[in-house]
Amino acid sequence: MASALFIAVLLTLASSGALASDPGPLQDFCVADNASAVLVNGFICKNPMKVDVNDFFFSGLNKPGNTNNRVGSNVTTVNVNQIGGLNTLGISLVRIDYAPYGQNPPHTHPRATEILTVIEGTLHVGFVTSNPQNRLIFQSPQRGIANAVFGSNPKIDDGVLAKAFQVDKKVIDYLQSQFWEDNNN
Ligand SMILES: *[C@@H]1O[C@H](CO)[C@@H](O)[C@H](O)[C@H]1NC(C)=O
Ligand SMILES: *[C@@H]1O[C@H](CO)[C@@H](O)[C@H](O)[C@H]1NC(C)=O
């Protein structure tokens, strides 16, 4: 049985009745020009006349990732880096392989929606609602903290994290000194 915990945090801005959302795309596609150093809302668009079928194709999701690592999972990503044609479209896909009792460490998907399909086995999945409730939905135990928090470079000030997680600074120092597996989650 594999186990995973997902944390989705939605950030909401309190303001005086103003609403904001992603605008609709202004073009049908904007294939990433990965040769350009310019970054706008995603990658800059490649010349449409130079776009071809390979910009919309990826193969390899049939191959299991190697889960022999500290978190016991492996995320194979299919995003703009694999399919340039996904640039600015706000959609991506991953394949996640889990070792028995493997975990996909808690992480966030700001302003994104996730759909999870289990092909084989059983997953324990949960998420925490955004402020102010911070409610854990589903049945997962709260354990581990994302490498983004304790494995950042440079490190987040341990005093800040000690206060945030209501633990002694020594606990934070210990966590920050650990090797944080990056499985692309
Ligand atoms: C950049 O794009 C080219 C052409 O689309 C592709 O062959 C190459 O793999 C891409 N490189 C990276 C690092 O994504
Ligand atoms: C995930 O699996 C791929 C393919 O076996 C491997 O190359 C990669 O190193 C693995 N990543 C991790 C974090 O274990």
Side-chain angles (χ1 to χ4, degrees), residues 63-69 71 73-76 181-184:
K63 296 185 192 123
N66 182 351
T67 58
N68 186 17
N69 55 49
V71 290
S73 69
N74 191 314
V75 182
T76 304
E181 186 75 61
D182 180 4
N183 74 343
N184 280 333

Side-chain angles (χ1 to χ4, degrees), residues 51-78:
V51 164
D52 67 27
V53 65
N54 295 312
D55 294 314
F56 301 92
F57 179 77
F58 171 85
S59 92
L61 279 177
N62 57 320
K63 296 185 192 123
N66 182 351
T67 58
N68 186 17
N69 55 49
R70 284 162 190 254
V71 290
S73 69
N74 191 314
V75 182
T76 304
T77 54
V78 185

Side-chain angles (χ1 to χ4, degrees), residues 87-103:
N87 190 36
T88 76
L89 295 184
I91 187 168
S92 63
L93 189 148
V94 299
R95 167 188 174 130
I96 313 178
D97 291 279
Y98 294 95
Y101 302 104
Q103 186 195 71

Side-chain angles (χ1 to χ4, degrees), residues 5 14 39 49 100 102 105 147 153 156 159 162 168 170:
L5 177 62
L39 293 175
M49 294 311 290
N147 55 10
N153 182 18
I156 299 174
D168 196 273
K170 271 181 274 175

Side-chain angles (χ1 to χ4, degrees), residues 12-58:
T12 51
L13 292 176
S15 62
S16 53
L19 286 176
S21 67
D22 286 328
L26 299 176
Q27 61 247 319
D28 290 333
F29 61 77
C30 166
V31 173
D33 179 358
N34 64 15
S36 170
V38 180
L39 293 175
V40 280
N41 180 22
F43 293 90
I44 204 163
C45 309
K46 190 166 154 177
N47 179 347
M49 294 311 290
K50 295 194 173 152
V51 164
D52 67 27
V53 65
N54 295 312
D55 294 314
F56 301 92
F57 179 77
F58 171 85

Side-chain angles (χ1 to χ4, degrees), residues 3 7 18 24 34 50 64 74 84 98 110 118 122 140 147 149 166 170 173:
S3 150
I7 291 187
N34 64 15
K50 295 194 173 152
N74 191 314
Y98 294 95
V118 179
T122 307
S140 293
N147 55 10
V149 175
Q166 300 177 21
K170 271 181 274 175
D173 293 342

